[in-house]
Amino acid sequence: MKKKWWQKAVVYQVYPRSFQDSNGDGIGDLAGVLQRLPYIKKLGVDVIWLNPVYKSPDKDNGYDISDYRDIQPKFGDMKIFDKLLSEAHRLGLKVVMDLVVNHTSDQHEWFKESRKSIDNPYRDFYIWRDGQDGQAPNNWGSYFGGSTWKYDEATKQYYLHLFAEGQPDLNWENPEVREQVWELMRFWLDKGIDGFRMDVINFISKPEGLPDAPNPENAEYGDVEPMVADGAKLNDYLREMNDKVLSKYDVMSVGEMPSSKPEDAVQYTGLDAGELNMVFQFDHVTLAFNDDPRLGKWNDKPVNLVDLKRALSRWQLALDGKGWNSLYWNNHDRARAVSRFGNDSPEYRERSAKMLATTLHMMQGTPYIYQGEELGMTNAHFTDLKQYQDIESLESYHQIVEKEKLTDHATMMRYLATESRDNARTPMQWDDSVNAGFTAGTPWLELNKNYREINAAKELQDEDSVFYFYKKLIDLRHKSDLIVYGDYRELDPEDEEVFAYKRHYEGKTLLVISNFTAKDVTRSYDSETKKTLLLSNYDDDLGTKFRPYESKVYVY
Ligand code: TEU
Ligand code: CA
């Protein structure tokens, strides 16, 4: 398989509004990211993925774009963006932008035109349908509560929005929509950015006739995801995107693909498939589900290790030699890694954060580090609904507790504390000064109360910190073809306490063993073979004995 720069790269995801505020308005901005580039460089990563900074009414924190060619004033302007891009490149950091083209904002010029009249030239940029006997065209439920259809009085039709009402879905069947998307991609690629993360890109091909979703539990709405994920024309659209745009530049592309399966991803990420370089799959981050399917993702269950190993191993094996994996534990939409998959108690937080990092970063694929993950930042542990701001969390609370009364307040508060996206969006913890050095003003979202114990300044002075452990992992990857290109074989899949796997490349073996429990366990692998310890999150090696959250990497 021909080697590509993004296969050896490590990506750092910056959620700008929570990263660094530079002008005291309590909202992170591009000048703040510029100010913190040396910190990102010090970590040793190669690429920055910036969540959306385009003009937006901010109904979904920038995922509702009203102008793809201009910067949201609260983040700065194009001048500061250009400065950030050139300074990042000067430091040897590539910059990947967030491409959100399954939908636009309802404030986008295209939608303002489209809703004016049935015969407006932009009408077919979006998905308009007549109602059925005064009801929505079908039973699909939005990710943010309610129907995916909004009735528009002006032309007495409904328009489709998988997410918020302010996020109307684009009609990708319309070749003019695709041409406009290729144009806006070229605008940014010609400025010199290094690629795109593509928002729910596997939702863009909608099913013929937009039929009802199955609804066996007789819930208020049917589950939209199986209806829109991996649609019939998706490969055609991705191949066209690659032919007309991506193939003209030496850039990377990663498609966010909720509920995509490995078999599909072999096609999407196949090196000669001419589509994308990699995908964000969701199998390992959607393992914990409520017993009541109507509550979907909302639960407070621990993640079962055997399920987690099966999900990750399945993708490692399916894409080995055929495509390419992204490797992530969390992002701006997920609970914090150490809280969801490790143990965020004071006793085990650091140890388990390092164990999780080892487990993921020694796999085959491109690792993504979400801002603060390298510090072992934890979930927010909010206790009051007023602390939350995420539209998904608030609308879900409203739909589940107030409208459908599927559970009570206290239970839903536990679910939010476990799974809310705001867990990942509390401001970056830079130091132990007021507001953790994030802002001189009032932070847009409350800081995590533990910022005095967990912050970058403290970890930069401690060579045993989570930060320097991530740095070691990144350095190891940069130096090792075995880590980057080695194949993957899991050991003891049914082991409920330990995650162990091997990588092989050109006659060398990497053995990775992680104890996912707070107990001492004993395990031996290839005990007769002479092994060299490459990395451990403890200071010494007790051989077959593994202490709580102990993780070791051997090479031989
Ligand atoms: O997320 C898509 C998506 O699948 C999420 O809505 C996810 O399923 C859910 O949040 C799980 O908690 C992308 C962006 O990453 C997200 O921030 C946006 O809200 C969404 O698309 C709409 O653009
Ligand atoms: Ca600001």
Side-chain angles (χ1 to χ4, degrees):
M1 184 155 70
K2 202 161 140 330
K3 295 174 178 172
K4 301 278 185 175
W5 63 263
W6 36 264
Q7 290 176 314
K8 269 187 114 57
V10 178
V11 184
Y12 187 79
Q13 180 190 352
V14 171
Y15 193 66
R17 71 185 61 223
S18 301
F19 193 61
Q20 177 66 62
D21 173 23
S22 70
N23 62 351
D25 66 359
I27 302 165
D29 45 53
L30 291 173
V33 179
L34 177 63
Q35 179 194 325
R36 294 293 182 180
L37 282 184
Y39 168 82
I40 297 173
K41 182 65 186 171
K42 186 175 180 66
L43 184 57
V45 299
D46 309 279
V47 184
I48 295 170
W49 156 28
L50 270 187
N51 285 99
V53 291
Y54 316 98
K55 266 219 168 98
S56 159
D58 249 5
K59 301 256 181 62
D60 181 19
N61 286 9
Y63 279 91
D64 48 318
I65 295 166
S66 54
D67 184 343
Y68 288 94
R69 291 177 174 77
D70 202 354
I71 301 294
Q72 160 79 285
K74 64 176 72 168
F75 291 135
D77 55 22
M78 197 55 93
K79 207 152 92 344
I80 184 69
F81 175 85
D82 291 339
K83 203 162 164 222
L84 172 61
L85 182 62
S86 62
E87 182 58 12
H89 284 166
R90 192 184 69 76
L91 290 171
L93 291 165
K94 292 178 183 288
V95 176
V96 161
M97 299 282 274
D98 213 317
L99 183 70
V100 188
V101 288
N102 171 71
H103 47 271
T104 70
S105 160
D106 61 353
Q107 302 306 308
H108 194 287
E109 281 314 309
W110 298 337
F111 191 73
K112 286 180 182 171
E113 283 301 312
S114 180
R115 72 188 326 172
K116 274 182 187 164
S117 68
I118 300 272
D119 52 7
N120 183 288
Y122 285 90
R123 187 68 177 182
D124 285 345
F125 264 56
Y126 296 87
I127 299 168
W128 294 92
R129 292 292 185 280
D130 292 327
Q132 309 221 1
D133 315 323
Q135 302 291 320
N138 67 27
N139 71 349
W140 298 357
S142 156
Y143 277 92
F144 298 158
S147 164
T148 59
W149 295 96
K150 171 95 170 84
Y151 186 71
D152 208 39
E153 195 54 49
T155 57
K156 302 202 179 324
Q157 278 199 318
Y158 290 79
Y159 68 84
L160 180 67
H161 62 88
L162 300 186
F163 294 93
E165 290 177 4
Q167 294 172 289
D169 279 58
L170 281 167
N171 170 20
W172 273 74
E173 303 219 350
N174 183 342
E176 280 173 53
V177 165
R178 301 201 298 273
E179 282 309 323
Q180 289 287 343
V181 171
W182 311 153
E183 272 305 298
L184 72 90
M185 290 176 74
R186 291 185 192 107
F187 172 84
W188 289 99
L189 291 168
D190 291 341
K191 288 176 79 70
I193 70 165
D194 303 286
F196 289 106
R197 174 267 188 187
M198 301 184 190
D199 191 58
V200 288
I201 197 68
N202 66 322
F203 288 1
I204 60 178
S205 168
K206 295 343 190 232
E208 196 62 39
L210 306 177
D212 270 355
N215 185 6
E217 300 86 26
N218 203 18
E220 189 166 355
Y221 299 102
D223 181 4
V224 67
E225 198 155 301
M227 303 306 290
V228 297
D230 304 306
K233 296 189 180 142
L234 179 59
N235 293 101
D236 298 342
Y237 297 154
L238 294 178
R239 259 197 294 280
E240 186 181 331
M241 177 193 283
N242 194 289
D243 292 346
K244 296 197 173 173
V245 185
L246 296 173
S247 58
K248 316 279 188 231
Y249 304 82
D250 179 18
V251 293
M252 70 170 256
S253 56
V254 51
E256 184 203 27
M257 298 209 173
S259 79
S260 245
K261 293 294 159 261
E263 316 61 77
D264 307 314
V266 170
Q267 178 57 32
Y268 301 139
T269 69
L271 263 176
D272 48 11
E275 294 186 22
L276 301 177
N277 300 141
M278 54 193 117
V279 301
F280 285 135
Q281 53 88 13
F282 279 53
D283 281 0
H284 63 305
V285 292
T286 55
L287 291 168
F289 250 84
N290 202 295
D291 297 330
D292 177 347
R294 294 173 300 174
L295 280 110
K297 65 173 269 188
W298 300 107
N299 75 91
D300 57 356
K301 288 185 184 165
V303 175
N304 173 287
L305 179 62
V306 173
D307 294 348
L308 178 64
K309 298 198 297 182
R310 188 180 306 117
L312 289 168
S313 294
R314 185 172 166 222
W315 279 84
Q316 287 288 297
L317 292 169
L319 296 189
D320 183 18
K322 296 195 189 108
W324 198 254
N325 272 292
S326 70
L327 304 172
Y328 75 99
W329 283 126
N330 50 189
N331 54 40
H332 63 294
D333 289 336
R334 315 299 330 175
R336 286 267 176 196
V338 73
S339 300
R340 201 69 187 91
F341 299 101
N343 179 329
D344 65 8
S345 69
E347 187 180 5
Y348 294 122
R349 180 183 61 81
E350 292 188 272
R351 195 84 74 186
S352 71
K354 293 174 182 176
M355 178 278 289
L356 289 171
T358 304
T359 307
L360 193 75
H361 281 245
M362 291 297 104
M363 286 185 174
Q364 184 189 95
T366 298
Y368 290 72
I369 300 168
Y370 178 61
Q371 68 181 45
E373 177 191 336
E374 80 281 6
L375 301 178
M377 276 176 65
T378 69
N379 273 359
H381 298 295
F382 287 158
T383 53
D384 186 325
L385 188 62
K386 286 197 291 298
Q387 292 174 287
Y388 289 99
Q389 295 196 32
D390 171 27
I391 181 171
E392 180 189 60
S393 300
L394 296 174
E395 291 296 332
S396 299
Y397 180 92
H398 172 63
Q399 183 81 29
I400 288 168
V401 176
E402 293 163 350
K403 273 184 73 179
E404 295 188 53
K405 303 192 186 332
L406 300 177
T407 190
D408 61 36
H409 169 81
T411 306
M412 191 62 188
M413 289 307 292
R414 278 204 318 278
Y415 294 166
L416 289 174
T418 306
E419 295 282 13
S420 168
R421 303 192 299 182
D422 277 337
N423 281 305
R425 300 176 179 186
T426 59
M428 184 70 177
Q429 297 167 195
W430 294 106
D431 55 42
D432 62 4
S433 71
V434 173
N435 293 327
F438 165 70
T439 177
T442 307
W444 72 275
L445 179 69
E446 218 174 289
L447 270 102
N448 194 315
K449 283 197 292 292
N450 60 22
Y451 73 83
R452 288 182 189 80
E453 297 79 53
I454 305 171
N455 63 70
K458 184 176 172 197
E459 297 203 22
L460 286 169
Q461 279 150 19
D462 169 8
E463 64 185 24
D464 288 336
S465 64
V466 179
F467 178 91
Y468 285 115
F469 194 85
Y470 265 85
K471 184 169 171 55
K472 266 187 228 158
L473 283 166
I474 297 163
D475 292 346
L476 279 177
R477 173 171 290 269
H478 284 158
K479 290 185 202 122
S480 165
D481 282 356
L482 170 55
I483 293 171
V484 177
Y485 304 111
D487 66 11
Y488 173 91
R489 195 156 60 77
E490 188 187 347
L491 306 173
D492 303 338
E494 296 315 309
D495 188 329
E496 297 181 353
E497 296 171 321
V498 172
F499 193 163
Y501 61 82
K502 279 184 178 174
R503 308 280 313 281
H504 294 103
Y505 188 71
E506 295 181 345
K508 290 182 76 175
T509 299
L510 199 73
L511 170 60
V512 184
I513 308 148
S514 297
N515 176 6
F516 266 70
T517 76
K519 296 183 294 192
D520 287 345
V521 295
T522 303
R523 296 286 191 282
S524 69
Y525 304 89
D526 292 354
S527 46
E528 72 292 347
T529 313
K530 177 155 177 26
K531 307 188 222 13
T532 308
L533 184 69
L534 196 59
L535 182 72
S536 167
N537 62 350
Y538 276 80
D539 306 337
D540 53 0
D541 181 354
L542 303 183
T544 57
K545 188 169 165 221
F546 289 82
R547 287 155 287 194
Y549 302 105
E550 182 160 7
S551 182
K552 292 192 274 191
V553 182
Y554 291 104
V555 65
Y556 48 100

